[in-house]
Coordinates of all heavy atoms in Angstrom, one line a residue:
M1 N 1.3 15.8 -3.9 CA 1.4 14.6 -3.1 C 1.9 15.0 -1.7 O 2.8 15.9 -1.6 CB 2.4 13.7 -3.7 CG 2.5 12.4 -3.0 SD 3.7 11.2 -3.7 CE 3.5 11.3 -5.5
P2 N 1.3 14.5 -0.7 CA 1.7 14.9 0.7 C 3.1 14.4 1.0 O 3.5 13.4 0.5 CB 0.6 14.2 1.6 CG 0.1 13.1 0.8 CD 0.2 13.5 -0.7
R3 N 3.7 15.2 1.8 CA 5.1 14.8 2.3 C 4.9 14.2 3.7 O 4.3 14.9 4.6 CB 6.0 16.1 2.4 CG 6.3 16.7 1.1 CD 7.5 16.0 0.5 NE 7.8 16.6 -0.8 CZ 8.8 16.0 -1.5 NH1 9.4 15.0 -1.2 NH2 9.0 16.6 -2.7
W4 N 5.3 13.0 3.8 CA 5.1 12.3 5.1 C 6.4 12.5 5.9 O 7.5 12.4 5.4 CB 4.9 10.8 4.9 CG 3.6 10.5 4.1 CD1 3.6 10.2 2.7 CD2 2.3 10.6 4.5 NE1 2.3 10.0 2.3 CE2 1.5 10.3 3.4 CE3 1.7 11.0 5.7 CZ2 0.1 10.3 3.4 CZ3 0.3 10.9 5.7 CH2 -0.5 10.6 4.6
T5 N 6.2 12.7 7.2 CA 7.4 12.7 8.1 C 7.2 11.6 9.1 O 6.2 10.9 9.1 CB 7.4 14.1 8.8 OG1 6.3 14.1 9.7 CG2 7.5 15.2 7.9
D6 N 8.2 11.4 9.9 CA 8.1 10.3 10.9 C 6.8 10.6 11.8 O 6.2 9.6 12.3 CB 9.3 10.2 11.8 CG 10.5 9.5 11.0 OD1 10.2 8.8 10.1 OD2 11.6 9.8 11.4
K7 N 6.5 11.8 12.1 CA 5.4 12.2 13.0 C 4.0 11.9 12.3 O 3.1 11.6 13.0 CB 5.5 13.6 13.4 CG 6.7 13.8 14.4 CD 6.7 15.3 14.8 CE 7.9 15.5 15.8 NZ 8.0 16.8 16.2
N8 N 3.9 12.1 11.0 CA 2.6 11.9 10.4 C 2.7 10.8 9.2 O 2.0 10.9 8.3 CB 2.1 13.2 9.9 CG 2.8 13.7 8.7 OD1 3.9 13.3 8.4 ND2 2.2 14.6 8.0
R9 N 3.6 9.9 9.4 CA 3.8 8.8 8.4 C 2.4 8.2 8.0 O 1.6 8.0 8.9 CB 4.8 7.8 8.9 CG 5.1 6.7 7.8 CD 6.1 5.7 8.3 NE 7.3 6.4 8.9 CZ 8.4 6.7 8.2 NH1 8.4 6.4 6.9 NH2 9.4 7.2 8.7
N10 N 2.3 7.8 6.8 CA 1.0 7.2 6.4 C 0.9 5.8 7.0 O 1.8 5.2 7.5 CB 1.0 7.1 4.8 CG 2.2 6.3 4.3 OD1 2.2 5.1 4.6 ND2 3.1 6.9 3.6
P11 N -0.4 5.4 7.1 CA -0.6 4.1 7.9 C 0.1 2.9 7.4 O 0.7 2.1 8.2 CB -2.2 3.9 7.7 CG -2.7 5.3 7.5 CD -1.6 6.0 6.7
L12 N 0.2 2.7 6.1 CA 1.0 1.6 5.5 C 2.5 1.7 5.8 O 3.1 0.7 6.1 CB 0.7 1.4 4.0 CG 1.0 0.1 3.4 CD1 0.3 -1.1 4.1 CD2 0.6 0.1 1.9
G13 N 3.0 2.9 5.7 CA 4.4 3.2 6.0 C 4.7 2.9 7.5 O 5.8 2.5 7.8
K14 N 3.7 3.2 8.4 CA 3.9 3.0 9.8 C 4.1 1.5 10.0 O 4.9 1.1 10.9 CB 2.7 3.5 10.6 CG 2.7 5.0 10.8 CD 1.6 5.4 11.7 CE 1.6 6.9 11.9 NZ 0.4 7.3 12.7
L15 N 3.2 0.7 9.4 CA 3.4 -0.8 9.5 C 4.7 -1.3 9.0 O 5.4 -2.1 9.7 CB 2.2 -1.5 8.8 CG 0.8 -1.3 9.3 CD1 -0.2 -2.0 8.4 CD2 0.7 -1.8 10.8
R16 N 5.2 -0.7 7.9 CA 6.5 -1.1 7.3 C 7.6 -0.7 8.3 O 8.5 -1.6 8.6 CB 6.7 -0.5 6.0 CG 8.1 -0.7 5.4 CD 8.4 0.1 4.2 NE 8.0 1.5 4.2 CZ 8.7 2.4 4.8 NH1 9.8 2.1 5.5 NH2 8.3 3.7 4.8
S17 N 7.6 0.5 8.8 CA 8.7 1.0 9.6 C 8.6 0.2 11.0 O 9.6 0.0 11.6 CB 8.7 2.5 9.8 OG 7.5 2.9 10.4
G18 N 7.4 -0.1 11.4 CA 7.2 -0.9 12.7 C 7.9 -2.3 12.6 O 8.3 -2.8 13.6
A19 N 7.9 -2.8 11.3 CA 8.6 -4.1 11.1 C 10.1 -3.9 10.9 O 10.8 -4.9 10.7 CB 8.0 -4.7 9.9
G20 N 10.6 -2.6 11.0 CA 12.0 -2.4 10.8 C 12.5 -2.5 9.4 O 13.7 -2.8 9.2
L21 N 11.6 -2.2 8.5 CA 12.0 -2.3 7.0 C 12.0 -1.0 6.3 O 11.1 -0.2 6.6 CB 11.0 -3.3 6.3 CG 11.0 -4.7 6.8 CD1 9.8 -5.5 6.3 CD2 12.3 -5.4 6.4
S22 N 12.9 -0.8 5.4 CA 12.9 0.4 4.5 C 12.0 0.1 3.3 O 11.8 -1.1 3.0 CB 14.3 0.7 4.1 OG 14.8 -0.3 3.2
Q23 N 11.7 1.1 2.6 CA 11.0 0.9 1.3 C 11.8 0.0 0.3 O 11.3 -0.8 -0.4 CB 10.6 2.2 0.7 CG 9.5 2.9 1.4 CD 9.2 4.3 0.9 OE1 10.1 5.0 0.3 NE2 8.0 4.8 1.1
A24 N 13.1 0.3 0.3 CA 14.0 -0.5 -0.6 C 14.0 -2.0 -0.2 O 14.0 -2.9 -1.0 CB 15.4 0.1 -0.5
E25 N 14.0 -2.3 1.1 CA 14.0 -3.7 1.6 C 12.7 -4.4 1.2 O 12.7 -5.5 0.8 CB 14.3 -3.8 3.1 CG 15.7 -3.4 3.5 CD 15.8 -3.2 5.0 OE1 14.9 -2.7 5.6 OE2 16.9 -3.6 5.5
V26 N 11.6 -3.7 1.4 CA 10.3 -4.2 1.0 C 10.3 -4.5 -0.5 O 9.8 -5.6 -0.9 CB 9.2 -3.3 1.4 CG1 7.8 -3.7 0.8 CG2 9.1 -3.2 2.9
S27 N 10.8 -3.6 -1.3 CA 10.7 -3.8 -2.8 C 11.5 -5.0 -3.2 O 11.0 -5.8 -4.0 CB 11.2 -2.6 -3.5 OG 12.6 -2.4 -3.4
V28 N 12.7 -5.3 -2.5 CA 13.5 -6.4 -2.9 C 12.8 -7.7 -2.4 O 12.6 -8.7 -3.1 CB 14.9 -6.3 -2.2 CG1 15.6 -7.6 -2.3 CG2 15.7 -5.2 -2.9
K29 N 12.3 -7.7 -1.2 CA 11.6 -8.9 -0.6 C 10.4 -9.3 -1.3 O 10.0 -10.5 -1.4 CB 11.4 -8.7 0.9 CG 12.7 -8.7 1.7 CD 12.4 -8.5 3.2 CE 13.7 -8.3 4.0 NZ 14.3 -9.6 4.3
L30 N 9.6 -8.3 -1.8 CA 8.4 -8.6 -2.5 C 8.5 -8.7 -4.0 O 7.6 -9.0 -4.8 CB 7.3 -7.5 -2.2 CG 6.9 -7.4 -0.8 CD1 5.8 -6.3 -0.6 CD2 6.3 -8.8 -0.3
G31 N 9.8 -8.4 -4.5 CA 10.0 -8.5 -5.9 C 9.3 -7.4 -6.8 O 8.9 -7.7 -7.9
I32 N 9.1 -6.2 -6.2 CA 8.5 -5.1 -6.9 C 9.4 -3.9 -6.9 O 10.4 -3.9 -6.1 CB 7.1 -4.7 -6.3 CG1 7.3 -4.3 -4.8 CG2 6.1 -5.9 -6.4 CD1 6.0 -3.8 -4.2
G33 N 9.2 -2.9 -7.7 CA 10.0 -1.8 -7.7 C 9.8 -0.9 -6.5 O 8.7 -0.8 -6.0
I34 N 10.8 -0.1 -6.1 CA 10.7 0.8 -5.0 C 9.6 1.8 -5.2 O 8.9 2.2 -4.4 CB 12.0 1.4 -4.6 CG1 11.9 2.1 -3.2 CG2 12.5 2.3 -5.6 CD1 13.2 2.5 -2.6
H35 N 9.5 2.2 -6.5 CA 8.5 3.2 -6.8 C 7.1 2.6 -6.6 O 6.1 3.4 -6.3 CB 8.6 3.7 -8.3 CG 9.8 4.6 -8.5 ND1 11.0 4.0 -8.9 CD2 10.1 5.9 -8.2 CE1 11.9 5.0 -8.9 NE2 11.4 6.1 -8.5
S36 N 6.9 1.4 -6.8 CA 5.6 0.7 -6.5 C 5.3 0.8 -5.0 O 4.2 1.1 -4.6 CB 5.6 -0.7 -6.9 OG 5.7 -0.8 -8.3
V37 N 6.3 0.6 -4.1 CA 6.1 0.6 -2.7 C 5.7 2.1 -2.3 O 4.7 2.3 -1.6 CB 7.4 0.2 -1.9 CG1 7.2 0.4 -0.4 CG2 7.8 -1.2 -2.2
V38 N 6.4 3.0 -2.9 CA 6.0 4.5 -2.6 C 4.6 4.7 -3.1 O 3.8 5.4 -2.3 CB 7.0 5.4 -3.4 CG1 6.6 6.8 -3.3 CG2 8.4 5.2 -2.8
R39 N 4.2 4.2 -4.2 CA 2.9 4.5 -4.7 C 1.8 3.8 -3.9 O 0.7 4.4 -3.6 CB 2.7 4.0 -6.2 CG 3.6 4.8 -7.2 CD 3.6 4.3 -8.6 NE 2.3 4.4 -9.2 CZ 1.8 5.5 -9.8 NH1 2.6 6.5 -9.9 NH2 0.6 5.5 -10.3
Y40 N 2.1 2.6 -3.4 CA 1.1 2.0 -2.5 C 1.0 2.8 -1.2 O -0.1 3.0 -0.6 CB 1.5 0.5 -2.2 CG 1.5 -0.3 -3.4 CD1 2.5 -1.2 -3.6 CD2 0.4 -0.3 -4.3 CE1 2.5 -2.0 -4.7 CE2 0.4 -1.1 -5.4 CZ 1.5 -2.0 -5.6 OH 1.5 -2.8 -6.7
E41 N 2.1 3.2 -0.6 CA 2.1 3.9 0.7 C 1.5 5.3 0.6 O 0.9 5.7 1.6 CB 3.5 4.0 1.3 CG 4.0 2.6 1.8 CD 5.4 2.7 2.5 OE1 5.9 3.9 2.7 OE2 5.9 1.7 2.9
S42 N 1.6 5.9 -0.5 CA 1.1 7.3 -0.7 C -0.3 7.3 -1.2 O -1.0 8.3 -1.3 CB 2.0 8.1 -1.6 OG 2.0 7.5 -2.9
G43 N -0.9 6.1 -1.5 CA -2.3 6.0 -2.0 C -2.5 6.3 -3.4 O -3.6 6.4 -3.9
I44 N -1.4 6.3 -4.2 CA -1.6 6.5 -5.6 C -2.0 5.2 -6.3 O -2.8 5.3 -7.3 CB -0.2 7.0 -6.3 CG1 0.1 8.4 -5.7 CG2 -0.3 7.0 -7.8 CD1 1.5 8.8 -6.0
S45 N -1.6 4.1 -5.9 CA -1.9 2.8 -6.5 C -2.7 1.9 -5.5 O -2.4 2.0 -4.3 CB -0.7 2.1 -7.0 OG 0.0 2.8 -8.0
D46 N -3.6 1.1 -6.0 CA -4.3 0.1 -5.2 C -3.5 -1.2 -5.1 O -2.7 -1.5 -6.0 CB -5.6 -0.2 -5.8 CG -6.6 0.9 -5.8 OD1 -6.7 1.6 -4.7 OD2 -7.3 1.1 -6.7
L47 N -3.6 -1.9 -3.9 CA -2.9 -3.1 -3.7 C -3.8 -4.3 -4.2 O -5.0 -4.2 -4.2 CB -2.7 -3.4 -2.2 CG -1.6 -2.7 -1.5 CD1 -1.7 -2.9 0.0 CD2 -0.2 -3.1 -2.0
T48 N -3.2 -5.4 -4.7 CA -3.9 -6.6 -4.9 C -4.0 -7.4 -3.6 O -3.2 -7.1 -2.7 CB -3.2 -7.4 -6.0 OG1 -1.9 -7.8 -5.5 CG2 -3.0 -6.7 -7.3
I49 N -4.9 -8.3 -3.6 CA -5.0 -9.1 -2.4 C -3.7 -9.9 -2.2 O -3.2 -10.0 -1.0 CB -6.2 -10.1 -2.5 CG1 -7.5 -9.3 -2.3 CG2 -6.2 -11.2 -1.4 CD1 -8.8 -10.1 -2.5
R50 N -3.2 -10.4 -3.2 CA -1.9 -11.2 -3.1 C -0.8 -10.4 -2.5 O -0.1 -10.9 -1.6 CB -1.5 -11.8 -4.5 CG -0.3 -12.7 -4.4 CD 0.0 -13.2 -5.8 NE 1.4 -13.0 -6.1 CZ 2.0 -12.1 -6.7 NH1 1.3 -11.1 -7.3 NH2 3.3 -12.0 -6.9
L51 N -0.6 -9.2 -3.0 CA 0.4 -8.3 -2.5 C 0.1 -7.9 -1.0 O 1.0 -7.9 -0.2 CB 0.6 -7.1 -3.4 CG 1.9 -6.3 -3.1 CD1 3.1 -7.1 -3.2 CD2 1.9 -5.1 -4.1
A52 N -1.1 -7.6 -0.7 CA -1.5 -7.3 0.7 C -1.2 -8.4 1.6 O -0.7 -8.2 2.7 CB -3.0 -6.9 0.7
E53 N -1.5 -9.7 1.2 CA -1.2 -10.8 2.0 C 0.3 -11.0 2.2 O 0.8 -11.3 3.3 CB -1.7 -12.1 1.3 CG -3.3 -12.2 1.4 CD -3.9 -13.3 0.6 OE1 -3.2 -13.8 -0.3 OE2 -5.0 -13.6 0.9
Q54 N 1.1 -10.7 1.1 CA 2.6 -10.8 1.3 C 3.1 -9.7 2.2 O 4.0 -10.0 3.0 CB 3.2 -10.6 -0.1 CG 3.0 -11.8 -1.0 CD 3.5 -11.6 -2.4 OE1 3.6 -10.4 -2.9 NE2 3.8 -12.6 -3.1
M55 N 2.5 -8.5 2.2 CA 2.9 -7.5 3.1 C 2.6 -7.9 4.5 O 3.3 -7.6 5.5 CB 2.3 -6.2 2.7 CG 2.9 -5.5 1.5 SD 2.1 -3.9 1.3 CE 3.1 -3.2 0.0
S56 N 1.4 -8.5 4.7 CA 1.0 -8.9 6.0 C 2.0 -9.9 6.6 O 2.4 -9.7 7.8 CB -0.4 -9.6 5.9 OG -0.8 -10.2 7.1
A57 N 2.4 -10.8 5.8 CA 3.4 -11.8 6.3 C 4.8 -11.2 6.6 O 5.4 -11.4 7.6 CB 3.5 -13.0 5.3
L58 N 5.2 -10.3 5.7 CA 6.5 -9.6 5.8 C 6.5 -8.7 7.0 O 7.5 -8.7 7.7 CB 6.8 -8.8 4.5 CG 8.1 -8.1 4.4 CD1 9.3 -9.1 4.5 CD2 8.2 -7.3 3.1
Y59 N 5.4 -8.0 7.2 CA 5.4 -7.0 8.3 C 5.0 -7.7 9.7 O 5.1 -7.0 10.7 CB 4.4 -5.9 8.1 CG 4.7 -5.0 6.8 CD1 3.8 -4.1 6.4 CD2 5.9 -5.2 6.1 CE1 4.0 -3.4 5.2 CE2 6.1 -4.4 5.0 CZ 5.2 -3.5 4.6 OH 5.5 -2.7 3.5
G60 N 4.6 -8.9 9.6 CA 4.3 -9.6 10.8 C 3.0 -9.1 11.5 O 2.9 -9.1 12.7
V61 N 2.0 -8.7 10.7 CA 0.8 -8.2 11.2 C -0.4 -8.9 10.5 O -0.2 -9.4 9.4 CB 0.6 -6.6 10.9 CG1 1.7 -5.9 11.7 CG2 0.6 -6.3 9.5
P62 N -1.5 -9.0 11.1 CA -2.7 -9.6 10.5 C -3.1 -8.9 9.2 O -2.9 -7.7 9.1 CB -3.8 -9.5 11.6 CG -3.1 -9.2 12.8 CD -1.9 -8.5 12.5
F63 N -3.7 -9.7 8.3 CA -4.1 -9.1 7.0 C -5.1 -7.9 7.3 O -5.0 -6.9 6.6 CB -4.8 -10.2 6.2 CG -5.4 -9.7 4.9 CD1 -4.6 -9.5 3.8 CD2 -6.8 -9.3 4.8 CE1 -5.2 -9.0 2.6 CE2 -7.3 -8.8 3.7 CZ -6.5 -8.7 2.5
E64 N -5.9 -8.0 8.3 CA -6.9 -7.0 8.6 C -6.1 -5.6 8.9 O -6.7 -4.6 8.6 CB -7.7 -7.4 9.8 CG -8.8 -6.4 10.2 CD -9.8 -6.1 9.1 OE1 -10.0 -6.9 8.2 OE2 -10.4 -5.0 9.1
E65 N -5.0 -5.7 9.5 CA -4.2 -4.4 9.7 C -3.7 -3.8 8.4 O -3.8 -2.6 8.3 CB -3.0 -4.7 10.6 CG -3.3 -5.0 12.1 CD -4.0 -3.8 12.7 OE1 -3.5 -2.7 12.6 OE2 -5.0 -4.0 13.4
I66 N -3.4 -4.6 7.5 CA -3.0 -4.1 6.1 C -4.2 -3.4 5.5 O -4.2 -2.3 5.0 CB -2.4 -5.2 5.2 CG1 -1.1 -5.8 5.8 CG2 -2.2 -4.6 3.8 CD1 0.1 -4.8 5.9
R67 N -5.4 -4.2 5.5 CA -6.6 -3.7 5.0 C -7.0 -2.3 5.6 O -7.4 -1.4 4.9 CB -7.7 -4.7 5.1 CG -9.0 -4.3 4.3 CD -10.2 -4.8 4.9 NE -10.5 -4.4 6.3 CZ -10.9 -3.2 6.6 NH1 -11.1 -2.3 5.7 NH2 -11.1 -2.8 7.9
K68 N -6.9 -2.3 6.9 CA -7.3 -1.0 7.6 C -6.3 0.1 7.2 O -6.8 1.2 7.0 CB -7.2 -1.3 9.1 CG -7.6 -0.1 10.0 CD -7.5 -0.5 11.4 CE -7.7 0.8 12.3 NZ -7.5 0.5 13.7
A69 N -5.0 -0.1 7.1 CA -4.1 0.9 6.8 C -4.3 1.4 5.4 O -4.3 2.6 5.1 CB -2.6 0.4 6.9
V70 N -4.7 0.5 4.4 CA -5.0 0.9 3.1 C -6.2 1.7 3.0 O -6.3 2.8 2.3 CB -5.1 -0.4 2.2 CG1 -5.7 0.0 0.8 CG2 -3.7 -1.0 2.0
A71 N -7.2 1.3 3.8 CA -8.5 2.1 3.8 C -8.3 3.5 4.4 O -9.0 4.4 4.0 CB -9.5 1.3 4.6
E72 N -7.4 3.6 5.3 CA -7.2 4.9 6.0 C -6.3 5.9 5.1 O -6.2 7.1 5.4 CB -6.5 4.7 7.3 CG -7.4 4.1 8.3 CD -6.7 3.8 9.6 OE1 -5.4 4.0 9.7 OE2 -7.3 3.3 10.6
T73 N -5.7 5.4 4.1 CA -4.8 6.2 3.2 C -5.7 6.9 2.2 O -6.3 6.3 1.3 CB -3.7 5.4 2.6 OG1 -3.0 4.7 3.6 CG2 -2.8 6.2 1.7
E74 N -5.8 8.2 2.2 CA -6.5 9.0 1.2 C -5.6 9.1 0.0 O -4.4 9.4 0.1 CB -6.9 10.4 1.7 CG -8.0 10.3 2.7 CD -8.6 11.7 3.0 OE1 -8.4 12.6 2.2 OE2 -9.2 11.8 4.0
R75 N -6.2 9.0 -1.2 CA -5.5 9.3 -2.4 C -5.2 10.7 -2.5 O -6.0 11.6 -2.1 CB -6.4 8.9 -3.6 CG -6.7 7.4 -3.7 CD -7.7 7.2 -4.8 NE -8.0 5.8 -4.9 CZ -7.6 5.0 -5.8 NH1 -6.8 5.3 -6.7 NH2 -7.9 3.7 -5.8
P76 N -4.0 11.1 -3.0 CA -3.7 12.5 -3.2 C -4.7 13.2 -4.0 O -5.1 12.7 -5.0 CB -2.3 12.4 -3.9 CG -1.8 11.1 -3.6 CD -3.0 10.2 -3.5
K77 N -5.1 14.4 -3.6 CA -6.0 15.3 -4.3 C -7.3 14.6 -4.6 O -8.0 14.8 -5.6 CB -5.4 15.8 -5.6 CG -4.2 16.6 -5.4 CD -3.6 17.2 -6.7 CE -2.4 18.0 -6.4 NZ -1.9 18.6 -7.6
S78 N -7.8 13.7 -3.7 CA -9.0 13.0 -3.9 C -9.6 12.7 -2.5 O -8.9 12.5 -1.6 CB -8.8 11.7 -4.7 OG -9.9 10.9 -4.7
K79 N -10.9 12.6 -2.5 CA -11.6 12.2 -1.2 C -11.8 10.7 -1.2 O -12.4 10.2 -0.2 CB -12.9 12.9 -1.1 CG -12.6 14.4 -0.8 CD -13.9 15.1 -0.5 CE -13.5 16.6 -0.3 NZ -14.6 17.4 0.1
H80 N -11.5 10.0 -2.3 CA -11.7 8.5 -2.3 C -10.6 7.8 -1.5 O -9.4 8.2 -1.5 CB -11.6 8.0 -3.8 CG -12.7 8.6 -4.6 ND1 -14.0 8.2 -4.5 CD2 -12.7 9.5 -5.6 CE1 -14.7 8.9 -5.3 NE2 -13.9 9.7 -6.0
K81 N -11.0 6.8 -0.9 CA -10.0 6.0 -0.1 C -9.4 4.9 -1.0 O -9.9 4.5 -2.0 CB -10.7 5.2 1.1 CG -11.3 6.2 2.1 CD -10.3 6.8 2.9 CE -10.9 7.7 4.0 NZ -10.0 8.3 4.9
N82 N -8.2 4.6 -0.7 CA -7.5 3.5 -1.4 C -8.2 2.2 -1.0 O -8.9 2.1 -0.1 CB -6.0 3.4 -0.9 CG -5.1 3.5 -2.0 OD1 -5.4 3.8 -3.2 ND2 -3.8 3.2 -1.8
R83 N -7.9 1.2 -1.8 CA -8.6 -0.1 -1.6 C -7.7 -1.3 -2.0 O -6.7 -1.1 -2.7 CB -9.9 -0.2 -2.3 CG -9.8 -0.1 -3.8 CD -11.2 0.2 -4.3 NE -11.0 0.3 -5.8 CZ -11.7 -0.4 -6.7 NH1 -12.6 -1.3 -6.3 NH2 -11.5 -0.2 -8.0
I84 N -8.1 -2.5 -1.6 CA -7.4 -3.7 -2.0 C -8.2 -4.3 -3.1 O -9.4 -4.5 -3.0 CB -7.2 -4.6 -0.9 CG1 -6.3 -4.0 0.2 CG2 -6.6 -6.0 -1.4 CD1 -6.1 -4.8 1.4
L85 N -7.6 -4.5 -4.3 CA -8.4 -5.0 -5.4 C -8.4 -6.6 -5.5 O -7.4 -7.2 -5.2 CB -7.7 -4.6 -6.7 CG -7.7 -3.1 -7.0 CD1 -6.9 -2.8 -8.2 CD2 -9.1 -2.5 -7.1
N86 N -9.6 -7.1 -5.9 CA -9.7 -8.5 -6.3 C -9.4 -8.5 -7.8 O -9.5 -7.5 -8.4 CB -11.1 -8.9 -6.1 CG -11.5 -9.1 -4.6 OD1 -10.7 -9.7 -3.9 ND2 -12.7 -8.6 -4.3
K87 N -9.1 -9.7 -8.3 CA -8.9 -9.8 -9.7 C -10.1 -9.3 -10.5 O -10.0 -8.7 -11.5 CB -8.5 -11.2 -10.1 CG -7.1 -11.6 -9.9 CD -6.8 -12.9 -10.5 CE -5.3 -13.2 -10.4 NZ -5.0 -14.5 -11.1
S88 N -11.3 -9.6 -10.0 CA -12.5 -9.2 -10.7 C -12.7 -7.7 -10.7 O -13.5 -7.2 -11.5 CB -13.7 -9.9 -10.0 OG -13.9 -9.5 -8.7
D89 N -12.0 -6.9 -9.8 CA -12.2 -5.5 -9.8 C -11.4 -4.8 -11.0 O -11.7 -3.7 -11.3 CB -11.6 -4.9 -8.5 CG -12.5 -5.3 -7.3 OD1 -13.7 -5.5 -7.5 OD2 -11.9 -5.3 -6.2
R90 N -10.5 -5.5 -11.5 CA -9.7 -4.9 -12.6 C -10.5 -5.1 -13.9 O -11.1 -6.1 -14.2 CB -8.4 -5.7 -12.8 CG -7.5 -5.5 -11.6 CD -6.2 -6.2 -11.8 NE -5.4 -6.2 -10.6 CZ -4.2 -6.7 -10.6 NH1 -3.7 -7.2 -11.7 NH2 -3.5 -6.6 -9.5
E91 N -10.3 -4.1 -14.8 CA -10.9 -4.2 -16.1 C -10.0 -5.3 -16.9 O -8.8 -5.3 -16.8 CB -10.8 -2.9 -16.8 CG -11.7 -1.9 -16.2 CD -11.7 -0.6 -17.0 OE1 -11.1 -0.5 -18.1 OE2 -12.2 0.4 -16.5
E92 N -10.7 -6.0 -17.7 CA -10.0 -7.0 -18.5 C -9.2 -6.3 -19.6 O -9.7 -5.4 -20.2 CB -10.9 -8.0 -19.1 CG -11.5 -9.0 -18.0 CD -12.1 -10.2 -18.6 OE1 -11.7 -10.6 -19.8 OE2 -13.0 -10.8 -18.0
E93 N -8.0 -6.7 -19.8 CA -7.2 -6.1 -20.9 C -7.6 -6.7 -22.2 O -8.0 -7.8 -22.4 CB -5.7 -6.4 -20.6 CG -5.2 -5.8 -19.4 CD -3.7 -6.1 -19.2 OE1 -3.0 -6.4 -20.2 OE2 -3.3 -6.1 -18.0
P94 N -7.6 -5.8 -23.3 CA -8.0 -6.3 -24.6 C -7.0 -7.4 -25.1 O -5.8 -7.3 -24.8 CB -7.9 -5.1 -25.5 CG -7.5 -3.9 -24.6 CD -7.3 -4.4 -23.2
A95 N -7.5 -8.3 -25.8 CA -6.7 -9.5 -26.3 C -5.8 -9.0 -27.4 O -6.0 -8.1 -28.1 CB -7.6 -10.6 -26.7

């Protein structure tokens, strides 16, 4: 997993820090675990549209900026880009 510094912070992390928020503050305000915030920022996990919209409002940036930041974040050890998921993109869980 890449180590991000202030000079090369990942795109989603730049938006968060530009809003003056820590990962811990974001996790509390969005009601998710801090590890989830780390996973979204590092490209390990995909965002849902709902969560991306909440980040947009929290960071005070247009939704398109969140979408762009997510698309620019490469997954660790992969050439695939991260994405924002629709509900239909998820596999249905067995009943």
